[in-house]
Amino acid sequence: MAEENIELIESHDHPLDGYLREGRIPHIFCPGCSLGSITTVLVEAILEAGVDPKKVAVVSGIGCTGRIAGYLNFDSFHTTHGRAIPFAIGLSVTDPDRKVIVVSGDGDLFAIGGNHFIHAARRNADITVICVNNFNYGMTGGQVGPTSYVGQFQSTTPYGTVEEPFNLPDLAASCGAVYVARWTALDVRRVKDSFVEAITKKGFSFVEVLGSCPTTYGRRNQLAEGKKILEYFKEKAVLQHGMDTKKVDIEKDGPMIVGKFVDIEDKPTLTDHLLEIQRKGEAALNKGGKK
Amino acid sequence: MSEQKILPREVLTGEHFTTGNHAAAEGAIAAGCKFFGGYPITPSSEIAEHIALRLPQVKGHFVQFEDEIASIASILGASWGGYKSMTATSGPGYSLMLENIGLGMMTETPCVIVNVQRGGPSTGLPTLVGQQDIMQAKWGSHGDYEPIAITPSTVQECFDLTIDSFNFAEKYRLPVTVLMDEALGHMSEKLVIPKEEKIVRVNRKTPTGPPEEHLPYLPDKDLVPPMATASSGYRIMTTGLTHDERGYPVINSEAQEKLVKRINDKIRLNKDKIIKVEEYQLDDADIAFVSFGSSARVAKGAVNRARKKGIKAGLLRLITIWPFADDHIEKLADQVKKIIVPEINYGQITREVERAAHGKTEVKGVFKLGGDIHLPEDILKEIERS
Amino acid sequence: MSRIEVRFAGFGGQGIGLMGRLVGEAVSLYEKNKNSVMTQSYGPESRGGASSSDVVIDTADIDYPKATELDYFVVMSEEAYDKYIPKLKKGGILFVEENLVSLDEHADKAKKIYKIPATKIAETLGNRIFANIVMLGFVCANTKDIVSEESLIEVMKKKIKARFVEKNLIAFQKGKEHSQEG
C-alpha cells in the first residue's frame, strides 16, 4: 500500500528520552525563547555531572523559567512565587546526598524571592541556583523586573526603566556564594560545563544565564526575534574569567561580561553545620546523663 | 517513609512542670518531628528555642530562616524529603505563611504549624493572649481547601494534640494547624509524658508499585494518594497549579473540579474521625457553653460555679476547631435553651455556632478582644442573665 | 482546700521567675491532689523593671490561670510593691524584703506582714543572688497551705545546678530560721 511507503523517516530515540516527562512536550516556551535549549543543557549537565538521577531534585518558583522543573523527569517541585529556595533547603538538608537544583527566573529569584536568595548564599545552603535572566517578567506579559536595565522599555515602564538593576553575580558573591558564573544562552557549551561545575560543587553555587525573550522583552526593545537577541549577546559578550564581580553590571548597549567569577573550595555548608550540631546535641545528651 | 523505632530520647517519659510552648515542642519530637524551620516571634519563640536544643539530640535539624515565608516553604521541602516537619509562629507570622499553607494544601504535603495566638490585628498585642486567628486558620489562604486545626486547652493537651496533629497531617496529607494562645504557651502546669510505647505515630502511606507506573495524585479509596519520598525513585511531580493524577498541570475547569473537590472531600468525608470534643456536664444541661482553647478552661470553671448555684450548665469544648463540629452543635441546640460562646475575639466561632444551631436555640457570644482571658465572673454573668 | 493565689515580685535579676517555678513545680509534682499553674511577667519587663510570677494552687482543676486577688504577696522591690499591692486581698498575707520595700497605708489591709532582710542574709552567704531562696525559706516556714518544705527541697535538688544546690539549701534554711514578724 502507498501509505507504507510514506514511512521514510525512522523513529529514533531522543537523547533525552526518559529525562523529560512523557506527555509534557511540546513545552509552552515561545519561538525564539532560550529556555528550550537551557532545559536540554541542564539535563545534559546533570547526566555529565555523574550524579545519581534518583538523587536529583529540581525545584522552581513561578514564571517561564519556573516551568522547566515540570518538564524534567527527576523529582520535580514547582512551588510558589519566589519560594523555591527555602523549599529547596528543606529538601537538601534532609539528605546530604541529594542534589537540589533551583532553576527560576530573575523576577522570581531576585524580586519576590530576593531575601531568600541572599540568606541561602549567606548560610551556604548546599544547593545550585540557576537563574535565567531575561530582563523582564515574561509570563505575566513583560513588566519591568529587578534586572531590567536603565532605559529599557517594559509594559510597566512605558517611559523607560529608571531604577538601577541588580548585578546578580556581585550580589551572589557578596552574600557568600562559593561558585558564581554568568553566560549568555548562546554559549550552550560553556553553559553546560558551568552547570556541571555548579552541580558538583559543594555549597551554594550560582549560575546566571542571560536568556532571550523576544516576545515580551525583545518586542519592546528593538530585539523582536530570538535570533536578534542572540546576535546582540554575541556582539556584546566579553569573556573575562575571574573578573571582579563589582565590574560586571549590565548597562544599556554596554558590554556583557561573562565567565566564571568565583570558585571557592571547601567552605562548610549548611548541611555540614547541621550535622556538626547533631554531634554536639548528642554529646550534650550523653554528658547530661539523665534526660 | 521508613518506619524507625521511637528512641527513648524522643519521649521524655515522666512528670514535668512546664509551659505549653515547651509541651508542644516535646509533643512534636515525640510525634517523630525531625525538621523545624522557623522565625522568632512572640509569644511562640520558646517553641523554636526548645526545639533548637532538642532536635539535634534526636538526629533532627533546626534552621532559623529569614522570615516565616521561608520557614513554611522549608518545612514543605523537608516533608517531601521524608522528614516529619513543623514550624511555630503567631498571628503576624501565620499571615505570612498562608501563601505556602495553600501550596501545602494543593500539593498535599504533611506538616504542622503551631500558631500561638496573640491579640491582633497587625502587631497588636505581642505579649498578650488572643484567639483571633480562628477564621484565618480556616479561610486564610486563597481558594477552597478544608483545613484541620486543633485547639488545646491545657499544657497536657499542647503535648498530646501536637502528636495528634502530626498524625492527622500524615494520614490525610495536609498542613495541620495547632491553634494555641499566649496564655497557654506561657503558663506552666503539670505535663505527664507517657512511655514511648504508648505514643501513637502515624506515618504517611508510600507507593508500593513500580515507579514507572506511579501516579503521584491517584487517590486510594480514602481519597488520599500515597506519597513518595524524594530520591526514592518515583520521580515526584508536584505543582501548585491545578493538576491531574500524574501531577501534570492542567488548566481547565474539569481538572479543577476533580482535584479541588477531592482535597476538600478527603477531610469532609472523614470528619467524624477528625472531630474531637469534650462534653462536660451536658447530660441534663439546659444552658451550655461552647468554647475552646484557654477560654474553655474558664467556661468549665463557670459551669462548676453555676452548678453550685443550682443552674444546669454544661460545656461543649471544641478540641478540633476545623473541621467544625456542626453535628454536635446542632444536637446541643436541640437540647438547651441557650448557648453561650466565650471567645477572645469579636465573634468568630459564635457565628459558626449560630450557623450550625440553625436557629433552634439562642446563641450568645461573650467577647474579649484580646489582652486577657475572660474572668469566670464575666461569663457567669451571661448565664445568670438567662 | 480552695483556690490560693501567690504572687512573687521584685526587679529583674532577683530570680523572681525561679521562685514561682520552684513553688509551682513542688506543688504540681510533689503534693498529693494539688494542682498549680505558674505564670510570669513576660516581655521587656522580665528583662529589668518590675518582674512577677504567680502561682495559683487548688485541689480542683485550675480554670483561670492567673492571679486576680492575692492571698499571698511576696515582694522584694519598692517598684513591685507599688505596682501590685492593690491586688492584695483584704486579709491577705504580705512578705517583704524589709530593706528594699517601704510599706504604705495599702499594707494595712494585710492580715499579717512578715519582714526579712533577705538580701543581707544572702550576702552573708557570699552572694545576694540567694536572696530569693532565703525568702522562699521564710515563706515556707510561715505558711501552711502553699507548699511543704519537703516538696520544695525536692524540687530545688532537681532544678538547681548541682554545684549550687548546697548553697541554696543553706539559704533556704537561713530564711526558714529567720523569725521576725511585723
Side-chain angles (χ1 to χ4, degrees):
Chain A
M1 300 232 324
E3 282 152 354
E4 281 176 15
N5 296 331
I6 292 169
E7 188 86 29
L8 293 175
I9 301 165
E10 229 179 288
S11 167
H12 289 286
D13 287 345
H14 188 276
L16 300 186
D17 271 355
Y19 297 102
L20 297 176
R21 296 261 172 192
E22 206 179 309
R24 291 281 286 133
I25 306 296
H27 54 61
I28 61 158
F29 306 135
C30 302
C33 170
S34 51
L35 286 171
S37 54
I38 292 168
T39 305
T40 304
V41 167
L42 176 58
V43 177
E44 286 174 353
I46 290 170
L47 299 180
E48 198 176 310
V51 290
D52 179 358
K54 243 173 88 168
K55 287 284 187 186
V56 173
V58 184
V59 186
S60 67
I62 298 296
C64 296
T65 312
R67 289 301 187 94
I68 288 180
Y71 297 124
L72 301 181
N73 200 15
F74 302 100
D75 284 339
S76 54
F77 302 91
H78 183 217
T79 68
T80 47
H81 199 20
R83 317 306 172 206
I85 286 177
F87 188 103
I89 292 175
L91 260 180
S92 145
V93 301
T94 47
D95 183 353
D97 298 329
R98 189 154 31 234
K99 190 64 236 178
V100 185
I101 302 162
V102 172
V103 52
S104 227
D106 46 288
D108 183 82
L109 286 168
F110 293 99
I112 188 166
N115 200 29
H116 308 311
F117 180 90
I118 62 177
H119 285 277
R122 172 182 67 79
R123 49 172 63 101
N124 199 22
D126 193 9
I127 60 175
T128 295
V129 176
I130 294 167
C131 173
V132 181
N133 175 8
N134 64 5
F135 304 97
N136 81 122
Y137 286 90
M139 181 72 90
T140 48
Q143 295 79 18
V144 69
T147 56
S148 302
Y149 48 79
V150 174
Q152 181 182 324
F153 289 93
Q154 292 302 143
S155 66
T156 49
T157 50
Y159 304 104
T161 298
V162 291
E163 298 169 11
E164 293 285 338
F166 268 138
N167 167 348
L168 300 183
D170 194 42
L171 183 68
S174 62
C175 292
V178 295
Y179 182 93
V180 179
R182 175 201 274 160
W183 313 100
T184 72
L186 183 67
D187 200 351
V188 287
R189 190 174 51 84
R190 286 203 175 90
V191 171
K192 188 182 80 181
D193 291 348
S194 189
F195 281 178
V196 171
E197 285 186 351
I199 289 166
T200 48
K201 189 89 199 166
K202 204 166 142 278
F204 188 87
S205 52
F206 174 66
V207 183
E208 177 186 13
V209 183
L210 304 176
S212 60
C213 176
T215 311
T216 63
Y217 158 72
R219 210 155 40 86
R220 294 184 175 89
N221 295 283
Q222 292 81 50
L223 294 163
E225 289 167 39
K227 186 167 154 270
K228 268 193 182 168
I229 300 177
L230 295 182
E231 279 166 0
Y232 178 78
F233 287 164
K234 191 179 168 198
E235 180 197 328
K236 298 291 182 186
V238 181
L239 179 66
Q240 282 195 296
H241 285 306
M243 183 71 172
D244 178 356
T245 54
K246 282 188 176 47
K247 297 176 182 154
V248 304
D249 48 323
I250 293 172
E251 289 172 9
K252 186 175 164 64
D253 301 326
M256 292 173 151
I257 296 167
V258 298
K260 180 166 82 175
F261 306 126
V262 176
D263 192 352
I264 298 166
E265 290 299 327
D266 296 329
K267 187 171 160 187
T269 66
L270 174 64
T271 309
D272 293 337
H273 289 304
L274 292 178
L275 293 172
E276 179 57 28
I277 288 168
Q278 280 188 348
R279 284 187 280 277
K280 286 181 180 165
E282 184 100 6
L285 200 68
N286 295 334
K287 195 178 156 205
K290 62 181 187 221
K291 69 212 172 180
Chain B
M1 68 201 295
S2 61
E3 179 52 66
Q4 346 79 314
K5 209 171 158 285
I6 301 180
L7 301 169
R9 61 182 59 172
E10 293 171 355
V11 182
L12 302 184
T13 304
E15 293 188 342
H16 306 262
F17 185 73
T18 195
T19 61
N21 280 345
H22 282 197
E26 285 299 337
I29 290 167
C33 176
K34 289 282 183 279
F35 182 83
F36 184 105
Y39 186 77
I41 185 170
T42 303
S44 79
S45 298
E46 297 84 3
I47 298 178
E49 289 167 354
H50 188 68
I51 217 159
L53 177 78
R54 287 279 288 134
L55 270 180
Q57 301 173 351
V58 296
K59 300 236 176 289
H61 293 312
F62 167 90
V63 180
Q64 183 174 315
F65 279 88
E66 55 275 16
D67 57 29
E68 287 89 349
I69 300 170
S71 302
I72 178 94
S74 76
I75 72 169
L76 295 178
S79 184
W80 282 100
Y83 280 35
K84 289 186 184 177
S85 62
M86 87 178 299
T87 186
T89 187
S90 187
Y94 198 75
S95 295
L96 290 176
M97 289 181 183
L98 286 165
E99 169 199 62
N100 270 339
I101 288 174
L103 180 66
M105 293 292 173
M106 196 64 153
T107 55
E108 301 180 70
T109 308
C111 61
V112 171
I113 304 125
V114 179
N115 176 352
V116 186
Q117 298 171 90
R118 63 194 223 187
S122 190
T123 313
L125 301 170
T127 57
L128 298 177
V129 67
Q131 291 177 331
Q132 294 168 314
D133 304 343
I134 308 293
M135 283 298 162
Q136 180 169 236
K138 170 74 174 125
W139 301 108
S141 199
H142 54 279
D144 280 302
Y145 59 96
E146 193 73 58
I148 296 177
I150 311 289
T151 45
S153 282
T154 61
V155 168
Q156 183 69 46
E157 280 191 343
C158 291
F159 178 87
D160 296 340
L161 298 178
T162 298
I163 298 177
D164 287 359
S165 297
F166 271 94
N167 291 344
F168 284 143
E170 293 287 318
K171 186 166 173 39
Y172 298 108
R173 283 189 62 181
L174 78 170
V176 173
T177 300
V178 184
L179 280 171
M180 287 172 46
D181 57 53
E182 183 277 336
L184 203 49
H186 283 158
M187 74 167 73
S188 294
E189 60 184 354
K190 187 171 171 178
L191 164 69
V192 182
I193 299 185
K195 292 206 164 83
E196 56 255 32
E197 60 265 26
K198 297 274 182 202
I199 303 281
V200 177
R201 278 188 189 176
V202 175
N203 295 309
R204 65 194 70 165
K205 294 181 287 190
T206 49
T208 48
E212 54 282 3
E213 289 167 24
H214 177 56
L215 293 173
Y217 287 97
L218 178 68
D220 289 341
K221 267 201 198 115
D222 62 357
L223 301 186
V224 182
M227 180 173 170
T229 303
S231 307
S232 64
Y234 279 91
R235 308 214 173 181
I236 294 160
M237 171 78 195
T238 144
T239 174
L241 288 166
T242 297
H243 45 271
D244 62 16
E245 288 166 350
R246 298 171 298 176
Y248 291 8
V250 183
I251 311 302
N252 64 39
S253 66
E254 290 81 11
Q256 171 80 354
E257 184 90 10
K258 195 171 169 193
L259 173 67
V260 178
K261 199 163 177 313
R262 181 177 63 73
I263 62 174
N264 280 273
D265 287 351
K266 71 180 178 184
I267 304 305
R268 290 189 188 182
L269 297 179
N270 289 300
K271 74 182 166 78
D272 292 341
K273 293 181 202 141
I274 299 166
I275 292 171
K276 255 172 96 175
V277 299
E278 181 195 357
E279 296 181 339
Y280 182 70
Q281 305 270 19
L282 273 186
D283 283 350
D284 63 341
D286 54 23
I287 185 158
F289 292 110
V290 171
S291 194
F292 56 92
S294 349
S295 303
R297 299 171 71 101
V298 183
K300 199 181 247 187
V303 168
N304 293 336
R305 290 176 207 212
R307 288 267 166 184
K308 275 187 194 142
K309 294 182 176 180
I311 301 167
K312 287 184 182 163
L315 165 68
L316 177 70
R317 181 165 72 89
L318 306 172
I319 297 170
T320 306
I321 202 128
W322 305 120
F324 196 66
D326 280 45
D327 298 346
H328 293 85
I329 302 288
E330 191 170 1
K331 203 178 116 220
L332 189 64
D334 281 329
Q335 179 190 332
V336 300
K337 61 174 199 274
K338 185 175 180 182
I339 294 176
I340 300 167
V341 188
E343 49 182 332
I344 308 170
N345 58 50
Y346 212 1
Q348 301 194 9
I349 282 301
T350 302
R351 277 199 219 176
E352 283 299 293
V353 174
E354 279 169 358
R355 180 186 57 73
H358 294 294
K360 291 175 178 173
T361 192
E362 185 194 349
V363 176
K364 179 84 169 88
V366 184
F367 311 133
K368 244 187 137 57
L369 292 193
D372 204 352
I373 59 186
H374 298 77
L375 287 168
E377 302 82 65
D378 295 342
I379 55 180
L380 205 57
K381 252 189 286 178
E382 196 52 50
I383 285 200
E384 287 165 348
R385 205 171 284 154
S386 304
Chain C
M1 175 194 140
S2 60
R3 179 180 171 109
I4 289 172
E5 299 185 352
V6 188
R7 173 165 295 169
F8 302 96
F11 50 78
Q14 279 180 319
I16 300 297
L18 181 66
M19 296 170 86
R21 279 201 298 281
L22 291 173
V23 171
E25 178 154 350
V27 171
S28 244
L29 305 189
Y30 297 97
E31 309 255 295
K32 277 217 161 26
N33 304 320
K34 273 164 89 176
N35 301 307
S36 77
V37 170
M38 195 281 292
T39 52
Q40 65 190 104
S41 57
Y42 187 80
E45 58 183 59
S46 64
R47 294 164 205 135
S51 152
S52 71
S53 67
D54 294 353
V55 183
V56 178
I57 301 164
D58 205 333
T59 46
D61 285 347
I62 292 164
D63 45 27
Y64 187 81
K66 298 183 178 181
T68 50
E69 268 203 307
L70 305 171
D71 297 280
Y72 297 96
F73 181 33
V74 182
V75 61
M76 299 180 62
S77 83
E78 186 77 28
E79 193 188 342
Y81 172 83
D82 291 342
K83 192 168 172 188
Y84 301 122
I85 190 67
K87 290 269 187 184
L88 181 69
K89 199 169 164 177
K90 196 166 179 326
I93 292 170
L94 185 59
F95 287 88
V96 295
E97 167 23 290
E98 63 182 49
N99 294 324
L100 297 177
V101 179
S102 49
L103 302 174
D104 60 9
E105 70 283 359
H106 285 294
D108 297 346
K109 64 181 167 181
K111 186 168 78 184
K112 255 185 177 171
I113 300 172
Y114 293 92
K115 296 179 180 173
I116 183 169
T119 311
K120 269 211 169 126
I121 296 174
E123 281 166 352
T124 66
L125 297 171
N127 197 328
R128 58 171 57 188
I129 72 165
F130 299 117
N132 57 347
I133 303 297
V134 171
M135 181 60 105
L136 267 191
F138 187 54
V139 170
C140 196
N142 291 291
T143 56
K144 288 199 172 61
D145 52 359
I146 298 179
V147 66
S148 72
E149 184 183 334
E150 296 73 39
S151 304
L152 254 184
I153 287 177
E154 200 64 31
V155 169
M156 285 200 284
K157 284 181 182 163
K158 195 175 101 184
K159 283 281 149 182
I160 293 172
K161 274 191 186 132
R163 61 200 161 107
F164 297 121
V165 168
E166 198 185 337
K167 265 278 163 74
N168 276 288
L169 291 178
I170 295 169
F172 186 78
Q173 197 61 28
K174 289 268 182 199
K176 221 183 86 188
E177 287 161 3
H178 183 80
S179 60
Q180 189 215 333
E181 191 181 313

